[in-house]
Amino acid sequence: MPDPGMQVPQPRGLLVVEDDALARELTARTLRLGFPDLPVGACASLGEALARMGANPVDILFLDLGLPDCKGLEGLSMIRAEGFDPAVVILTARDDRELALEAIRAGAQDFLAKGEVSTGALVRAARYAWERKTTTASLLRAQARSAESERTRLSTERRLRENEEIFHIISDHAGDLVSLVNREGRRVYQNRAYVRQLGYSFDELEATGPLELVHPEDRERVRSSIAEALARGRETTLQYGMRHRDGSWRQVESRITPVQASGAVDGLAVVVARDITQRAALDLDLMRAHAIKNLVLENSILGIAFIRKRIIEWANPRCGELLGLPMEAIVGQTTRVLYPDDTAYQAQAPALYAALERGEPTDDTWETARKDGTRFWCRVVGRALDPTQPDEGSVWMFEDITPRVAADQKRLRLEVQLRQAQKLEAIGQLAAGIAHEINTPSQYVGDNLKFLTDAFRDVLDAFEAAEAALAGTLDPAEARRVIDEADVAYLGTEIPRALEQSTEGIARVSRIVRAMKDFSHPGGEAMVQVDLNRSIESTVTVSRHEWKYVADLVLDLDPGLPPVLCHPGEINQAVLNLVVNAAHAIADAVPAGAKGTITVSTALEGDMAAIRVRDTGTGIPKAVQARIFDPFFTTKEVGRGTGQGLAIVHSVAVERHGGSVAFETEPGAGSTFILRIPLHKPAQETNE
């Protein structure tokens, strides 16, 4: 029986599922009389029943176990599978009682035998089934709540135990000294860090008086800080000394926090102290280093400034000395004060900051002016603190390099003069060979001209004899004799050949003269676009007398090589030195009368033009390979080498053009020298 004190909710609807029409109608009518305020439905199959329950709520279901679309307990399973949970009363025939009992065990609330139930019994069965269903559900919910409450209590107790254990673990393993102190500074709790860091045992710590471990000079300050924190209920921090068991003193930084609670912990404060002995020593070292840094910055020969958003926020006195300005006219001003005029500022400043934004270091030189008008050369080096945000802060250094620039300019003038002198010296050395090269074609041009003069006289005599014979003033037989003596047929063959040879000789002389002109042209300090292949051809022509008796020279020039921005005279000099060296190496390697081979080639390698000079000479001994580019170093006998040839090659390729020079050699087989020249002006020269 249900508990009379328990409130049972009103069911929302009833449904009779019976395939026998008479029984179905009779049962439904009886239930309508018993539950006049509730909807009572009836259907002949489980499928129809499930559809009705989906459309309208049903809390009490009278179910026949012998329906056409399900048999036995299938109906209960199908109802549960569809998510419905009504109070079920089984309608069964007299011989189906065992099946009905199984249905009760499967979750049905009651069963009735068809044809043996009165109206009152049918209504009571419906009400009891609903009450049992709701009462059972309420009891299950109450049991679940009770079980949940017990689980919550057990979980809370477990968490409290775990939190206490965690507190002890954290406290005992904390690196800081943690204690609970009263107003007098006596510790009522302390963690194991006191043992580890101060060297005392717990018994020794318990025996110490209030603030006994605190340095005598700090005790009163610590006691008043604890009292003030407790009185105001606010946290405070301070530093003081604490005594180690070995008698030494440790510097600690403490945070005193009053406990915001009542009861046993009222009037107590949590003190968390950290050993900062090493940090204090480091701070002292840092202060010393800071003082030294300031001393260096203030007395540096370099002007140093910190700039943020183009404003000079700090500068050392040297900046004022360089610019001839008081410090107040520099600090707080824009970077415009660093430039001689607005034009220079607008031209140079954007490029400098653009380099910083690309993450590149800035190193530039320009001429500026002091306040009194004197001009000087200033080297400027800038570095951003954060390359991704250069405007947020950068350090700049300024150096007066006027004496260095003057010395460099003087050195450059001397270098230009020296290079020109070396070129003229080379031309002088090549003069005899060049004269011979010009003399040979000039000689056969002269011989051909003499032949043409004589031939012209013979042809003229034959022409005059023929003309006189035609006019009747000369016997034809005599005219024939004159023509035969002139040998006109021979002249007709040889005169064109003489003219062709003379033309070729003149062209050869012109090539030599043009090559000499190209090679000896002094050029200028500015780089120009040059056809490197033509320059090499001119150099090879000028030096022909140096190599033609010992080597065959092969040109393998890349026709697709673009123009190269360079100093052409210096490149010519470098190639000449390599060709002459190659000829000398071959002369030392081949027997008299034999020839080696010199191959000069060009190629495009990325953004470099590569020049290779390969010979079949003696190669370079390993013992001297590291010194071949040293000035005045030579392995040749006196009078044959000055030791400047390869030094000039290195200077031209590396220092003057920002390229490189390398070599490959095999002693006894020959060497290859490789010059690589940038197609465009090097970056450092572009910035100047």
Side-chain angles (χ1 to χ4, degrees):
M1 292 292 292
D3 183 356
M6 185 176 294
Q7 185 69 28
V8 178
Q10 184 75 2
R12 294 170 296 176
L14 296 87
L15 181 63
V16 178
V17 187
E18 170 64 66
D19 60 341
D20 185 299
L22 181 60
R24 181 174 64 248
E25 183 58 32
L26 180 60
T27 303
R29 186 181 303 141
T30 302
L31 290 173
R32 290 189 185 101
L33 292 174
F35 297 95
D37 297 330
L38 298 178
V40 178
C43 57
S45 67
L46 184 62
E48 185 181 353
L50 292 174
R52 288 198 180 193
M53 283 191 288
N56 298 295
V58 173
D59 288 329
I60 303 174
L61 181 69
F62 286 82
L63 179 64
D64 180 13
L65 293 182
L67 296 173
D69 53 352
C70 69
K71 299 295 181 183
L73 300 181
E74 291 180 2
L76 283 174
S77 300
M78 293 172 67
I79 292 171
R80 299 288 188 268
E82 292 295 325
F84 302 118
D85 189 25
V88 179
V89 178
I90 301 299
L91 297 174
T92 180
R94 184 175 302 170
D95 57 352
D96 287 338
R97 292 181 180 275
E98 290 298 327
L99 183 60
L101 291 174
E102 289 184 23
I104 294 295
R105 287 192 289 270
Q109 301 300 321
D110 205 349
F111 73 92
L112 298 172
K114 297 179 184 179
E116 298 181 0
V117 182
S118 64
T119 301
L122 188 64
V123 173
R124 281 196 304 275
R127 286 178 176 158
Y128 288 164
W130 174 242
E131 289 174 358
R132 281 195 295 273
K133 176 72 174 178
T134 54
T135 301
T136 300
S138 297
L139 289 174
L140 289 174
R141 285 194 296 273
Q143 290 174 355
R145 286 195 298 272
S146 177
E148 180 62 25
S149 176
E150 180 65 13
R151 284 194 298 273
T152 301
R153 182 184 67 80
L154 294 175
S155 176
T156 301
E157 291 179 353
R158 184 177 66 255
R159 283 199 300 272
L160 288 174
R161 288 194 300 271
E162 290 174 350
N163 288 341
E164 184 177 359
E165 183 178 354
I166 290 171
F167 167 75
H168 284 294
I169 291 173
I170 294 174
S171 176
D172 289 342
H173 291 82
D176 295 337
L177 307 173
V178 181
S179 62
L180 202 60
V181 301
N182 60 17
R183 296 180 185 276
E184 291 74 33
R186 177 176 292 279
R187 297 182 305 279
V188 298
Y189 166 81
Q190 56 210 347
N191 68 347
R192 289 187 180 275
Y194 276 82
V195 176
R196 292 194 304 271
Q197 296 190 23
L198 298 180
Y200 299 96
S201 67
F202 273 114
D203 291 339
E204 290 172 327
L205 291 169
E206 291 291 339
T208 58
L211 304 180
E212 183 179 333
L213 298 181
V214 176
H215 195 283
E217 296 179 1
D218 298 327
R219 286 175 189 166
E220 186 55 38
R221 183 166 54 87
V222 173
R223 182 181 289 109
S224 61
S225 295
I226 294 172
E228 183 180 359
L230 290 171
R232 296 188 176 185
R234 276 189 281 179
E235 179 180 285
T236 185
T237 59
L238 71 159
Q239 294 183 12
Y240 51 87
M242 292 193 73
R243 188 181 69 236
H244 192 274
R245 193 174 187 276
D246 63 9
S248 62
W249 292 96
R250 306 296 173 88
Q251 285 294 313
V252 299
E253 184 179 64
S254 286
R255 185 175 69 252
I256 303 172
T257 306
V259 178
Q260 303 293 335
S262 59
V265 294
D266 187 25
L268 299 179
V270 176
V271 180
V272 179
R274 175 167 295 176
D275 187 343
I276 61 167
T277 306
Q278 291 184 347
R279 195 184 81 188
L282 291 174
D283 287 346
L284 181 60
D285 291 342
L286 186 61
M287 290 175 60
R288 290 172 180 161
H290 187 68
I292 293 172
K293 180 202 71 174
N294 285 340
L295 185 64
V296 171
L297 291 175
E298 296 296 323
N299 295 277
S300 173
I301 62 171
L302 300 177
I304 303 172
F306 177 75
I307 298 173
R308 191 198 311 270
K309 299 186 183 302
R310 314 292 175 93
I311 301 297
I312 302 173
E313 295 189 357
W314 177 89
N316 68 346
R318 180 58 176 162
C319 285
E321 295 172 6
L322 289 174
L323 298 173
L325 294 170
M327 295 305 296
E328 57 269 20
I330 298 175
V331 177
Q333 303 300 312
T334 68
T335 53
R336 164 65 183 82
V337 299
L338 303 174
Y339 298 83
D341 49 50
D342 290 337
T343 301
Y345 176 63
Q346 293 167 2
Q348 292 171 300
L352 293 177
Y353 276 90
L356 291 182
E357 289 172 357
R358 293 192 301 270
E360 301 173 1
T362 298
D363 190 340
D364 203 356
T365 300
W366 62 67
E367 190 179 22
T368 187
R370 297 183 176 89
K371 186 179 181 181
D372 61 6
T374 59
R375 302 185 73 82
F376 69 100
W377 285 95
C378 184
R379 181 190 177 199
V380 181
V381 178
R383 298 291 187 275
L385 300 183
D386 180 358
T388 63
Q389 294 179 308
D391 242 11
E392 291 303 315
S394 55
V395 177
W396 296 80
M397 291 172 284
F398 311 94
E399 180 184 8
D400 183 354
I401 60 169
T402 304
R404 189 191 311 170
V405 170
D408 287 345
Q409 290 174 342
K410 182 178 180 180
R411 178 179 57 82
L412 288 174
R413 286 194 297 271
L414 291 174
E415 286 182 358
V416 170
Q417 294 171 3
L418 178 60
R419 283 195 296 272
Q420 189 62 20
Q422 290 169 341
K423 183 183 295 184
L424 294 174
E425 179 185 358
I427 293 173
Q429 293 172 349
L430 296 173
I434 293 171
H436 178 75
E437 292 298 317
I438 293 176
N439 181 63
T440 299
S442 297
Q443 185 173 354
Y444 66 71
V445 167
D447 292 342
N448 284 332
L449 287 175
K450 184 176 182 303
F451 165 74
L452 289 173
T453 300
D454 294 340
F456 178 76
R457 186 177 298 111
D458 291 342
V459 170
L460 184 60
D461 289 344
F463 178 77
E464 289 176 348
E467 188 177 45
L470 291 174
T473 60
L474 182 65
D475 182 56
E478 180 62 21
R480 169 57 59 187
R481 184 187 64 77
V482 174
I483 293 172
D484 290 342
E485 285 181 358
D487 198 355
V488 175
Y490 168 77
L491 294 177
T493 301
E494 292 300 320
I495 288 175
R497 290 177 59 189
L499 291 172
E500 182 181 352
Q501 290 175 354
S502 298
T503 302
E504 180 182 347
I506 295 298
R508 185 172 175 184
V509 171
S510 297
R511 283 198 301 271
I512 295 172
V513 172
R514 185 169 57 251
M516 281 294 297
K517 181 181 178 182
D518 291 343
F519 181 82
S520 60
H521 192 282
E525 189 57 29
M527 291 185 175
V528 295
Q529 296 283 352
V530 171
D531 181 348
L532 208 56
N533 291 340
R534 177 177 172 179
S535 292
I536 291 172
E537 289 172 346
S538 297
T539 301
V540 168
T541 299
V542 168
S543 63
R544 186 171 185 273
H545 195 70
E546 291 289 325
W547 52 262
K548 72 175 183 178
Y549 298 110
V550 297
D552 294 321
L553 194 142
V554 178
L555 290 178
D556 182 15
L557 306 179
D558 182 1
L561 189 68
V564 178
L565 190 66
C566 65
H567 299 287
E570 298 177 17
I571 295 295
N572 291 342
Q573 182 70 51
V575 174
L576 173 66
N577 291 353
L578 292 178
V579 170
V580 171
N581 275 5
H584 290 173
I586 291 174
D588 293 339
V590 300
K595 285 188 176 184
T597 303
I598 300 173
T599 304
V600 182
S601 63
T602 59
L604 182 63
E605 296 181 358
D607 58 352
M608 294 275 191
I611 305 171
R612 283 175 168 79
V613 179
R614 183 170 65 251
D615 66 66
T616 57
T618 57
I620 304 172
K622 189 172 183 179
V624 301
Q625 289 179 10
R627 300 186 58 196
I628 62 172
F629 295 113
D630 292 351
F632 305 108
F633 176 78
T634 181
T635 59
K636 301 174 184 178
E637 64 272 13
V638 176
R640 194 178 180 208
T642 64
Q644 288 294 298
L646 291 179
I648 292 173
V649 171
H650 185 275
S651 174
V652 168
V654 178
E655 298 172 15
R656 294 288 289 167
H657 290 85
S660 65
V661 58
F663 66 90
E664 300 165 355
T665 186
E666 183 178 350
S671 303
T672 301
F673 281 83
I674 307 105
L675 275 69
R676 292 184 174 88
I677 308 298
L679 296 178
H680 310 290
K681 185 176 290 190
Q684 65 269 25
E685 196 166 322
T686 303
N687 293 334
E688 292 177 354

